[in-house]
Amino acid sequence: MHTPEEVLAFKKPTEGFSCSLSDNKYKIEFLEFEIKDYDTSKSVFKVSRDDAPDLSALSLEASKGGVSLEDLARTVRYNLPKEFLKFKTVRTMLKFCVGPLEVPSFRMIERHYYKGELLRNYDFTFGFCIPNSTNTWEAVYDMPVNSKERINDMVGSPDEHVSDSFYFVEDKLVMHNKAYFKYV
Amino acid sequence: MGLLTVIKKVKAKEKEIRLLMVGLDNAGKTTIVKKLCGEDVSKTSPTLGFEIKTLAHNGYKLNIWDVGGQTTLRSYWRNYYEQTEGLIWVIDSTDVRRLKDCKEELHKLLVEERLAGATLLIFANKQDISGAQSSKELLKALELDKMGERHWKIVSCSGITGDGVRKGLNWVVEDIAARIYMFNS
């Protein structure tokens, strides 16, 4: 299993997932995620657990696509408006809950790649999480300035922007999710 | 010089400040943070864990940890003391009945070794409501006469109207910056 130091040295997206769903013994669950333009507060993406597809729909999709249900469940596909690539500052909000165990030190490392090259790396330590708590994290980021050519290239290359999100508890990998970004 | 200088320089590069916001439940902690971020404060529900906000403020990156104040959550506050540079204690100035609880919880924090170096800002919140105790009255009730070397200040505010919240934040950030980033100017 990978350590934080190892994933921080990754130079491209991983093949498959680096842990299994059952490694999440702390029962950490994501409840909501939202991306907003900081300047206008306009929401460009919002998802909550309540509107996630149910298991039978996922099973059907998994059997059609020839991927495992387990992998499908931790893959997110974002369709973002291309204006997102012009935002100067972005606000993200993540809401998650944890199970009955204390989480001693929770850390997220998220690596974004475009056409196989590292774009950005986010590294945030939440620290301790209270048993059975619901927690939120709102962050404000400055976005890179993208040239017109770059924006056109990204719009014309769906799913080339990939991210790996690794979640650690006391430096032990407990969750790994992937996301694919499409700009429309 | 020596190690301390090195630590200060490393910190100065990132210019991050960690603030811990605590106080009894229903003191208005989350509302104040929302107001500081320019968000809608008309509806807020009890915090059943933490709410972290990362925001840019006068060239600093603030990480504000707003931790729920219900009785069952208070025993977990100590897990958030590490590396806290500023402590923001929020009081519901209209809650006269629980002022004694408020005093006791605050005094528990003040003897914590890990918070010994933290700047303390006390927000006397809900000043927009009639019957709110003044900051002078609150100070007397909180028995804050033995503060020693600690940098501290009480600021009257209202999370709903926004009065005083910016003033309080500016003060706590400036005080911390002057201590931690003194080699950076």
Side-chain angles (χ1 to χ4, degrees), chain A residues 36 38 41 91 96 102 106 124-140, chain B residues 18 37-39 47-56 61 63 65 67 72-73 76 78-80:
Chain A
K36 277 182 178 178
Y38 182 75
S41 288
R91 175 184 279 172
F96 64 93
E102 283 188 4
F106 188 38
F124 191 82
T125 300
F126 298 94
F128 181 86
C129 302
I130 298 169
N132 298 311
S133 62
T134 298
N135 307 291
T136 61
W137 174 45
E138 263 194 62
V140 173
Chain B
R18 180 180 165 116
C37 296
E39 289 172 33
T47 305
L48 305 172
F50 58 65
E51 294 196 15
I52 308 167
K53 297 246 190 195
T54 304
L55 64 134
K61 186 175 159 193
N63 289 312
W65 297 70
V67 185
T72 49
L73 301 177
Y76 294 107
R78 62 188 164 78
N79 295 288
Y80 300 95

Side-chain angles (χ1 to χ4, degrees), chain A residues 24-30 96-99 103 106 167 169 174-175:
Chain A
N24 184 9
K25 65 170 180 161
Y26 295 95
K27 299 191 175 10
I28 298 164
E29 263 188 74
F30 297 115
F96 64 93
C97 63
V98 307
V103 179
F106 188 38
Y167 298 89
V169 174
V174 294
M175 277 189 288

Side-chain angles (χ1 to χ4, degrees), chain B residues 23-62:
Chain B
L24 302 190
D25 47 297
N26 200 38
K29 301 178 285 297
T30 305
T31 301
I32 289 174
V33 185
K34 280 188 173 176
K35 196 73 186 181
L36 284 169
C37 296
E39 289 172 33
D40 178 19
V41 293
S42 60
K43 47 179 197 284
T44 299
S45 43
T47 305
L48 305 172
F50 58 65
E51 294 196 15
I52 308 167
K53 297 246 190 195
T54 304
L55 64 134
H57 176 88
N58 297 345
Y60 295 95
K61 186 175 159 193
L62 308 184

Side-chain angles (χ1 to χ4, degrees), chain A residues 11-182:
Chain A
K11 294 195 168 53
K12 56 178 182 13
T14 60
E15 304 275 341
F17 292 86
S18 305
C19 64
S20 84
L21 285 180
S22 60
D23 289 319
N24 184 9
K25 65 170 180 161
Y26 295 95
K27 299 191 175 10
I28 298 164
E29 263 188 74
F30 297 115
L31 305 175
E32 260 180 73
F33 181 62
E34 186 174 24
I35 307 173
K36 277 182 178 178
D37 177 20
Y38 182 75
D39 296 311
T40 63
S41 288
K42 189 186 163 190
S43 179
V44 292
F45 184 84
K46 188 171 183 182
V47 66
S48 77
R49 188 177 59 172
D50 302 339
D51 32 73
D54 65 32
L55 205 61
S56 58
L58 265 184
S59 308
L60 187 68
E61 203 185 320
S63 63
K64 271 197 219 156
V67 290
S68 76
L69 182 61
E70 187 164 313
D71 288 0
L72 200 66
R74 42 194 177 159
T75 304
V76 189
R77 289 184 185 275
Y78 292 101
N79 283 313
L80 297 177
K82 63 182 175 194
E83 58 181 306
F84 173 81
L85 297 167
K86 292 181 193 158
F87 290 167
K88 286 197 202 81
T89 313
V90 162
R91 175 184 279 172
T92 59
M93 189 278 286
L94 175 70
K95 187 187 261 192
F96 64 93
C97 63
V98 307
L101 295 175
E102 283 188 4
V103 179
S105 180
F106 188 38
R107 176 178 179 186
M108 178 200 83
I109 298 176
E110 186 167 290
R111 294 176 77 75
H112 286 252
Y113 304 91
Y114 181 64
K115 295 191 170 171
E117 289 211 14
L118 185 67
L119 269 187
R120 290 169 81 78
N121 179 66
Y122 300 105
D123 186 347
F124 191 82
T125 300
F126 298 94
F128 181 86
C129 302
I130 298 169
N132 298 311
S133 62
T134 298
N135 307 291
T136 61
W137 174 45
E138 263 194 62
V140 173
Y141 302 106
D142 286 326
M143 296 295 281
V145 180
N146 292 309
S147 67
K148 216 175 160 185
E149 292 75 34
R150 175 73 159 191
I151 292 174
N152 288 336
D153 190 47
M154 291 184 89
V155 172
S157 314
D159 297 345
E160 285 282 359
H161 176 185
V162 184
S163 72
D164 277 310
S165 308
F166 302 96
Y167 298 89
F168 297 91
V169 174
E170 289 190 307
D171 292 347
K172 198 169 177 296
L173 189 64
V174 294
M175 277 189 288
H176 176 193
N177 295 336
K178 275 183 178 286
Y180 293 89
F181 298 79
K182 190 184 277 184

Side-chain angles (χ1 to χ4, degrees), chain B residues 4 20 33 45 48 60 86 91 93 96 101 127 131 147 180 182:
Chain B
L4 198 60
L20 174 65
V33 185
S45 43
L48 305 172
Y60 295 95
I91 308 172
S93 310
V96 181
D101 286 354
Q127 292 293 326
M147 295 294 268
I180 298 181
M182 56 197 290

